[in-house]
Amino acid sequence: MYATQALTHLVPLAEELDKNKVTPGVLGFIVFAALAVGVWLLMKSMNRHMGKVDFEEAPAEPKETAGAKGAAEPAGSAKRK
């Protein structure tokens, strides 16, 4: 059976739908809920990772001293634990 023939059998079923009442249904709710849970988990993970960051800003040095010292450690670098 061809796909067009299968669709012609479904056309009478489509006529029974109320065209003024279209809702996302259960599948729409499940997708929305899954996205909400995913965002919540990502935010929780981000907060945990941001809590581990230990950022200490290096004091500002004059340009003459910074050039002589070299690029040993960039200003404002974060220390890892």
Side-chain angles (χ1 to χ4, degrees):
M1 181 187 302
Y2 293 109
T4 54
Q5 290 174 343
L7 289 176
T8 56
H9 293 296
L10 295 176
V11 171
L13 295 175
E15 294 296 327
E16 295 174 10
L17 292 176
D18 184 11
K19 294 180 182 179
N20 296 326
K21 185 179 178 185
V22 179
T23 62
V26 176
L27 180 63
F29 173 75
I30 291 171
V31 169
F32 180 77
L35 287 172
V37 168
V39 168
W40 180 73
L41 289 172
L42 283 172
M43 288 176 59
K44 190 173 178 180
S45 174
M46 181 192 66
N47 282 333
R48 196 175 328 128
H49 281 62
M50 291 300 286
K52 292 180 183 178
V53 174
D54 183 23
F55 181 78
E56 294 178 10
E57 189 172 346
E61 299 179 6
K63 293 191 182 223
E64 303 87 36
T65 311
K69 188 176 182 181
E73 186 175 329
S77 64
K79 295 181 181 179
R80 292 188 174 186
K81 291 184 178 182

